[in-house]
């Protein structure tokens, strides 16, 4: 994920442009799109408001408002995309951060919509918690569509450790990273399938 930040000259307000690209390897299946099963592209433009308030013992640090696009760049019937208006709130307490990410899907016309039911699986937001401990980073993401009769969600657990903890010659620019995901929406191609 790359983030470009620009101070727009108003105290406490920045403009962020971020680009995330997530590729799923599939080396074992050369008949169907090896070496990658799917690649998701996600540019976003955010206005970031730096905040400083107290809430339940946490310090409110950021409020982001903006636009997010996600797509896999494929042709039909494998094409997936959606556009969202987003609002994110970031809180911190010592070495623990909480990020509430919310979104509203911008409606598309029925003929051009590759995935009209995506909010039934992805919901309208997700909650992230990150703990920094002794140069380790532990994080968890929870997502739920909040539909009592048709409940779907996801959980993701991450752990990263700087390579420099093992070999000081490599510095802090690289980390070992382990992730576990269970639920819906890990990739756009399979947003409507439960995966772990």
């Amino acid at each position: 994920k790359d983030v470009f930040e620009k101070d727009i000259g108003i105290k406490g307000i920045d403009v962020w442009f971020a680009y995330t690209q997530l590729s799923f390897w599939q080396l074992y299946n050369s008949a169907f799109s090896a070496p990658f099963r799917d690649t998701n592209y996600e540019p976003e433009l955010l206005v970031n408001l730096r905040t400083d308030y107290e809430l339940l013992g946490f310090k409110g640090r950021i409020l982001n408002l903006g636009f997010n696009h996600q797509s896999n760049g494929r042709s039909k019937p494998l094409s997936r995309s959606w556009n969202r208006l987003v609002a994110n709130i970031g809180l911190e307490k010592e070495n623990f951060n909480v990020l509430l990410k919310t979104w509203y899907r911008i409606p598309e016309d029925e003929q051009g919509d590759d995935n009209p039911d995506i909010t039934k699986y992805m919901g309208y937001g997700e909650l992230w918690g990150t703990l920094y401990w002794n140069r380790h980073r532990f994080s968890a993401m929870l997502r739920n569509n909040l539909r009592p009769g048709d409940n779907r969600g996801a959980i993701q657990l991450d752990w990263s450790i700087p390579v420099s903890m093992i070999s000081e010659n490599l510095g802090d620019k690289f980390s070992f990273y382990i992730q576990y995901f269970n639920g819906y929406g890990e990739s756009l191609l399979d947003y409507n399938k439960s995966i772990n």
Side-chain angles (χ1 to χ4, degrees):
K1 183 169 196 166
D2 288 323
V3 178
F4 172 75
E5 178 180 338
K6 174 67 175 158
D7 188 333
I8 61 172
I10 301 172
K11 187 175 179 178
I13 301 177
D14 307 306
V15 174
W16 292 358
F17 173 78
Y19 175 75
T20 304
Q21 182 170 317
L22 180 62
S23 296
F24 295 87
W25 287 71
Q26 184 172 275
L27 298 174
Y28 59 87
N29 189 348
S30 59
F32 185 75
S33 194
F36 295 103
R37 175 170 171 70
D38 196 29
T39 298
N40 295 173
Y41 309 95
E42 186 177 359
E44 57 188 348
L45 182 64
L46 302 168
V47 174
N48 179 61
L49 304 151
R50 286 174 264 154
T51 60
D52 189 19
Y53 60 89
E54 292 272 343
L55 179 66
L56 304 172
F58 284 82
K59 287 267 191 193
R61 292 300 186 199
I62 61 168
L63 171 64
N64 301 145
L65 303 169
F67 174 80
N68 174 286
H69 169 78
Q70 225 181 1
S71 64
N72 67 354
R74 303 196 46 189
S75 57
K76 291 190 177 191
L78 300 177
S79 174
R80 304 285 186 271
S81 68
W82 61 335
N83 296 309
R84 300 176 286 177
L85 298 176
V86 297
N88 308 320
I89 298 169
L91 307 166
E92 69 178 17
K93 182 177 183 178
E94 297 172 1
N95 58 345
F96 183 66
N97 296 343
V98 175
L99 180 64
L100 174 62
K101 299 174 79 172
T102 64
W103 54 76
Y104 167 76
R105 181 179 187 200
I106 299 172
E108 298 180 39
D109 64 62
E110 288 184 23
Q111 288 182 321
D113 196 343
D114 299 327
N115 32 252
D117 61 348
I118 195 167
T119 55
K120 290 181 182 176
Y121 296 89
M122 299 285 286
Y124 300 94
E126 56 195 26
L127 181 65
W128 285 86
T130 304
L131 174 68
Y132 298 91
W133 175 75
N134 195 23
R135 299 179 66 204
H136 295 254
R137 183 179 64 86
F138 302 94
S139 64
M141 180 275 296
L142 301 172
R143 184 171 54 227
N144 194 286
N145 67 3
L146 303 176
R147 294 173 184 254
D150 193 18
N151 191 268
R152 296 185 176 111
I155 183 170
Q156 179 176 308
L157 304 173
D158 303 332
W159 172 47
S160 67
I161 177 173
V163 174
S164 64
M165 289 186 73
I166 297 159
S167 171
E168 291 190 20
N169 296 332
L170 296 173
D172 282 339
K173 297 192 184 284
F174 299 97
S175 294
F176 288 110
Y177 178 73
I178 297 172
Q179 179 186 94
Y180 173 74
F181 181 92
N182 189 319
Y184 294 90
E186 184 181 30
S187 76
L188 282 177
L189 183 62
D190 298 318
Y191 75 90
N192 56 358
K193 296 180 179 80
S194 183
I195 293 173
N196 64 57

